[in-house]
Each structure stands twice: as C-alpha cells, then as structure tokens.
Amino acid sequence: MLLSDKVRFTALLLIFLSLAQLVPAQDQNYRILAGDTFYSIARRFNIDVKALQEYNSPIDPSKIRIGQLLKIPSQAHSSSVGSTSSTTVGAQATIIGTKDYRIVRGDTWYGIARQHNLSVETLTQVNGTNTRSVLRIGQSIKIPQSSSTQAIASVTSTTIMSVTGTSLDLNDYRGKQNVSWPTEGERFTMGGKLPGVLIKATVGQSVRSVNEGRVSYSGPHSSLGHVVIVQNSLGFNYIYGGNDSSSISKGQLIHIGDEIGKVGITPGLKEPRVYFSVWKNGKYLDPGNAPR
C-alpha cells in the first residue's frame, strides 16, 4: 500500500470511528438460559443490576424462567437508571443496626431482600458478600435494620403489643361500607388505646386479607388473641386481631383473600369479634378509607 493510500485509509477510519460514537447504543433482547440470574446477566453485559431490574419491571427476578425474554438496556440507559435508583434508595432510610436471619428452603438473596424491604446490594454489602454466594439452609445472615423498619416495628411493639387492656368504647361504624373487610358481620368503631373496627363474627369464621403484603408480625396478644400484621408496598400496616389460631408466619407473602386465621374468643373481647386496624408512619387510619 502506497503512503498516500495509507493516509487516506487512516483518515477514513478516523471518520468512521467518530461517526460511530454519534450513533446511540441500542437496547437488545436476551433469552434466559439455565443457571441465569439477574445478577449474572448484569455482570455479563457490564450493566447495573438495578437498571436491569427496573428496565424489565414488573418481572420478578426470583421467578425468571428458561427461555424468558429480557430487555438489556444500553450502557447509557443503565447509567441513567442506576444512578437514579441508588439516590432513591439512599434517601429512604438509614441503617441503624442488624438482626440475625436463618436461611430456610427456597430462600434467595433477592427474595430475602424483598421480604425485608431492602435492596439486594444493601443486604449483600452488610453480609460482606455478593449474590453469587450460595445460601445454605440453616445458615445465619445479617438483616440490616433501618429507620423505616424501626417505624414498622413500633406499630407492633409499642402501639399494639404493649397495650394490655382493651377499651371497649364502641359505636356503630359510620365509615365506608362498600369496601372489602376481613370478614362479614356487623361493624363497630372501637376507641381507646387500640382504635379500630370490631366486626361481629362467629367462632371458627375465616379472617381474610384485604390487601397484598408481607407479614411483619404474627403472634399472641394478651387482649386480642393471635394478631397478624401485614404491611403492603406503600407502607400501610393492616392489623388483624381476634384470631383463635393462625398458620401465617412472619415474612410470608399474603395475597388478597388469603386466610389470616380463624375467629376465636379472646381475653379482651370476650365474644367472637375480629379486630381490624390500619396504621401508617405511626398514625391510625380509618380502615374503611385505607387502600384495598
């Protein structure tokens, strides 16, 4: 090749490379293979795992299937989405401690993080590992406690569980009637330290969830029998009391219509009644106006 040809070739190559930089990177599709996870796919394409999750919303990363199609964001999209996501997470809560959690069958890093309202990155960072680390049944890991999770816990430990007496200051419930309730029956407004709605029922009658969420508490109360608290994705805490028994456990995902328990006769209520109360950010809300 002559010198003039070399110069011409070099010039054309430089022009081509310059033009290529002006063409925006295109998103692409990826079909799930055996053993794939959102984390491994993100690493393979050198993108932020949060960006991959948000770009493919509402797909649940813990339930991807072989052959399922995902969208892989370009580097530009990944950087934009990833930076926004991390800012949001950082602004939501401050880690103030940890608690122990023991791995059970079926647990994944993503599932545990979602169960405790955490990001996968926060959970793995606190445990000094990453999502490639295999979880073993019986293994103990640390669950970070933030200011937001403490607020949820306060509904249980302070507002509900520390109240040993029940003030039966009852009036006919005048709130919304055309919404779903935990069980069928005549409704009364209960005042005092445990405001809520009491629903007249019969022993053994089913108590059912009116909203989807995670169980943040399931256990006995000195006045209200077995109490179950379900928190939805918006931070509303739905409290179901008056249960004689319940097979619901903490951390369990609850769907609309799932059975919470069976009505019994509790020490504080004396007759078969369902206690239903809704709280958010430490404040009581009229259960009839709470989201369904």
Side-chain angles (χ1 to χ4, degrees), residues 140-155:
S140 181
I141 65 171
K142 299 291 184 182
I143 303 295
Q145 298 292 283
S146 66
S147 54
S148 60
T149 54
Q150 284 295 99
I152 296 169
S154 68
V155 173

Side-chain angles (χ1 to χ4, degrees), residues 213-284:
R214 291 276 179 184
V215 176
S216 60
Y217 178 83
S218 180
H221 183 272
S222 59
S223 297
L224 299 177
H226 194 102
V227 171
V228 175
I229 302 179
V230 179
Q231 186 198 35
N232 74 0
S233 59
L234 299 176
F236 290 85
N237 294 277
Y238 297 77
I239 304 173
Y240 304 85
N243 300 290
D244 177 62
S245 61
S246 176
S247 59
I248 300 299
S249 57
K250 183 178 179 181
Q252 185 174 337
L253 176 62
I254 299 296
H255 299 92
I256 296 175
D258 284 356
E259 186 174 84
I260 295 292
K262 299 285 189 183
V263 178
I265 298 177
T266 67
L269 302 179
K270 306 299 183 183
E271 295 179 346
R273 299 285 187 271
V274 173
Y275 168 79
F276 182 51
S277 187
V278 181
W279 296 71
K280 184 177 182 181
N281 297 329
K283 296 181 179 180
Y284 170 72

Side-chain angles (χ1 to χ4, degrees), residues 30-57:
Y30 175 79
R31 199 168 294 279
I32 301 296
L33 302 175
D36 273 342
T37 65
F38 262 59
Y39 183 83
S40 66
I41 296 169
R43 283 180 58 87
R44 185 178 307 162
F45 288 93
N46 193 31
I47 58 176
D48 185 87
V49 67
K50 291 180 184 177
L52 181 62
Q53 291 174 7
E54 294 182 16
Y55 213 64
N56 287 277
S57 178

